[in-house]
Amino acid sequence: MECIDEVIKFIKKLFDSDEILALHQPVFMGNEKRYLNECIDTTFVSSVGKFVDRFENMIKVYTGAKYAIASVNGTAGLHVALKLVGVQRGTEVITQPLTFVATCNAIRYCDANPIFVDVDIDTMGLSPNSLQKFIDEYTEQRNGYCFNKKTGNKISAVLPMHTFGRPCRIKEIADICKEFNLALVEDAAESLGSYYQEQHTGTFGEFGVFSFNGNKVITSGGGGIIVTNDPTLAKKAKHITTTAKLAHPYEFIHDDEAFNYRLPNINAALGCAQMESLDIILDNKRLLAEEYNAFFEEKSIVFAKALNETKQNHWLNAILLENKSIRDDFLNQTNDAGVMTRPIWRLMNKLKMFNKYHTDDLENALWLEERVVNIPSGARF
Ligand SMILES: *Cc1c(COP(=O)(O)O)cnc(C)c1O
């Protein structure tokens, strides 16, 4: 590829910087310090405090979900969401191979096995067609539930992910899940601020899980939020993430084996301040993506777009290079020049701890794995 130098020059100009350009970085421009100071001044820095409720409420309002439950991080949120829809030992969870490792780790925390089904090229998220094909070929309904004919195991959930904040075909996936009585949990870790047909990602199934890790669109330092529209599931999620403690003024009584997955108040405080800036950050990121789009169009480099029926948060911008060797050149030259870029994740089914699980025909995922590169995507202020 001849124009790598031009790409490097353009990106440095975009960010108006000669420093090393990160893929993404948090921006703090609002009430962050004020809220953090408030935690320290009041001593409410840990698992009790008003910011947790406030953060949950902000996410609830923003996403339109009926309930929001904070968790210590997104991975813990996924673990609990899967557990509560019945993912357990001897069951299987259909997911995409092209994702961050946390998606699969959460399945394994429940002692369930992942099944890797292909993604769509355009969304880079779970393909409803491949999902339907897998169901037709490998499953049967027993007592109203979906079972894998080959292993005899129940399929306890479907876990799609909205890659880089670009919504997958979640409505079609949700329809399939309904038809075959499969629980749907969305890994929406990357997609706060992303909508499919005006409906916020994470709200299509039983649960959606957002992450507020430092590299995400906004951050609480570390943190996650589980959303659901089901009051019973919401109550269980709160209970099981907070040590299953019964409400009592001074006694410690717990009625279940549960988790300390509580989000500390100090993290929630940061999250609240960041939520106040979310729309400004998203606008800023959208403008960056538009500038990238115009540039790459002119250079005939494929810039990954979202589906028309979606609105995306532009968390991480991505380009698709022609083949692996061009990609490797691009990665080497950009990183050498201080412009951080990275390839999309190594497919989950290739990692040594996940390579023994059922792997469908992964043509699209394999194709994308060799070509997709993320480029600096942080908001510019
Ligand atoms: C970030 C991320 C997670 C995990 O979130 P943490 O808050 O870091 O635990 C899970 N899935 C995907 C796809 C992610 O990008």
Side-chain angles (χ1 to χ4, degrees):
M1 204 166 116
E2 291 130 41
C3 61
I4 300 183
D5 284 342
E6 282 176 69
V7 175
I8 290 169
K9 238 172 73 195
F10 177 76
I11 295 178
K12 287 189 168 177
K13 206 177 94 211
L14 263 186
F15 286 88
D16 194 19
S17 170
D18 269 330
E19 314 261 294
I20 289 180
L21 287 175
L23 215 54
H24 205 274
Q25 74 286 329
V27 285
F28 302 119
M29 58 189 172
N31 285 318
E32 284 84 356
K33 283 186 180 167
R34 223 185 95 208
Y35 294 169
L36 290 174
N37 272 330
E38 202 179 312
C39 292
I40 290 167
D41 292 343
T42 60
T43 76
F44 283 104
V45 295
S46 192
S47 47
V48 176
K50 67 174 192 192
F51 284 112
V52 176
D53 292 342
R54 200 151 126 199
F55 189 32
E56 289 174 340
N57 198 51
M58 288 175 100
I59 294 295
K60 193 180 90 169
V61 170
Y62 190 85
T63 60
K66 289 210 177 87
Y67 306 93
I69 301 97
S71 63
V72 68
N73 57 49
T75 312
L78 285 171
H79 178 196
V80 162
L82 291 173
K83 188 176 161 69
L84 289 179
V85 298
V87 176
Q88 57 182 305
R89 182 185 303 246
T91 72
E92 300 174 7
V93 176
I94 298 174
T95 193
Q96 57 197 67
L98 196 64
T99 184
F100 177 59
V101 69
T103 317
C104 295
N105 282 337
I107 297 170
R108 291 294 306 137
Y109 296 165
C110 299
D111 262 331
N113 294 344
I115 296 171
F116 298 110
V117 167
D118 207 5
V119 295
D120 283 326
I121 291 270
D122 50 5
T123 68
M124 304 181 201
L126 187 67
S127 161
N129 288 339
S130 301
L131 174 63
Q132 180 73 55
K133 234 179 89 202
F134 175 84
I135 290 173
D136 290 345
E137 205 171 319
Y138 290 99
T139 75
E140 64 187 9
Q141 293 283 307
R142 277 193 235 152
N143 315 320
Y145 290 99
C146 192
F147 280 81
N148 185 331
K149 280 193 288 195
K150 254 170 103 183
T151 61
N153 294 332
K154 183 175 170 183
I155 301 184
S156 49
V158 176
L159 179 58
M161 197 276 282
H162 302 290
T163 305
F164 308 143
R166 301 149 67 265
C168 65
R169 290 183 168 79
I170 190 63
K171 184 73 180 45
E172 285 177 57
I173 292 170
D175 288 344
I176 293 171
C177 288
K178 267 209 192 84
E179 184 181 344
F180 295 93
N181 198 15
L182 288 159
L184 172 60
V185 175
E186 288 172 77
D187 183 342
E190 305 180 353
S191 68
L192 183 70
S194 298
Y195 299 77
Y196 187 90
Q197 292 173 346
E198 321 271 305
Q199 185 178 339
H200 201 288
T201 52
T203 64
F204 286 81
E206 275 73 7
F207 283 113
V209 179
F210 299 98
S211 165
F212 299 90
N213 189 42
N215 64 337
K216 297 297 191 321
V217 165
I218 57 167
T219 184
S220 59
I225 295 237
I226 308 163
V227 294
T228 181
N229 290 322
D230 183 317
T232 312
L233 287 178
K235 223 169 151 182
K236 285 184 179 166
K238 190 69 189 177
H239 196 57
I240 203 176
T241 49
T242 56
T243 70
K245 185 180 178 301
L246 300 180
H248 191 281
Y250 47 81
E251 271 214 84
F252 274 73
I253 307 167
H254 308 259
D255 68 353
D256 201 355
E257 286 181 1
F259 304 98
N260 175 14
Y261 279 174
R262 294 172 296 190
L263 181 69
N265 197 49
I266 199 160
N267 293 96
L270 193 56
C272 286
Q274 287 268 282
M275 272 306 284
E276 292 168 359
S277 305
L278 177 58
D279 285 337
I280 303 171
I281 290 171
L282 291 183
D283 276 349
N284 188 294
K285 289 171 67 63
R286 182 173 43 77
L287 290 177
L288 174 69
E290 280 167 12
E291 287 185 66
Y292 267 136
N293 186 38
F295 172 78
F296 287 120
E297 204 155 88
E298 196 187 305
K299 296 280 168 237
S300 301
I301 295 170
V302 180
F303 181 65
K305 300 209 181 55
L307 297 176
N308 282 332
E309 61 269 37
T310 67
K311 195 182 113 192
Q312 65 144 324
N313 63 7
H314 302 283
W315 174 49
L316 285 189
N317 294 295
I319 55 175
L320 278 83
L321 298 169
E322 277 162 59
N323 56 48
K324 190 166 179 296
S325 101
I326 290 177
R327 180 202 72 173
D328 291 342
D329 272 355
F330 184 89
L331 288 170
N332 285 328
Q333 287 191 47
T334 48
N335 282 295
D336 280 351
V339 172
M340 201 179 152
T341 60
R342 71 164 188 226
I344 200 165
W345 310 280
R346 179 71 49 89
L347 298 188
M348 290 302 114
N349 56 294
K350 292 185 180 175
L351 302 184
K352 67 174 186 214
M353 63 288 193
F354 300 138
N355 65 12
K356 57 180 174 289
Y357 300 113
H358 180 98
T359 298
D360 225 21
D361 173 18
L362 300 180
E363 195 185 332
N364 292 343
L366 287 162
W367 191 89
L368 288 165
E369 185 191 30
E370 296 195 336
R371 290 170 176 79
V372 177
V373 172
N374 290 123
I375 51 182
S377 302
R380 299 169 295 174
F381 286 100

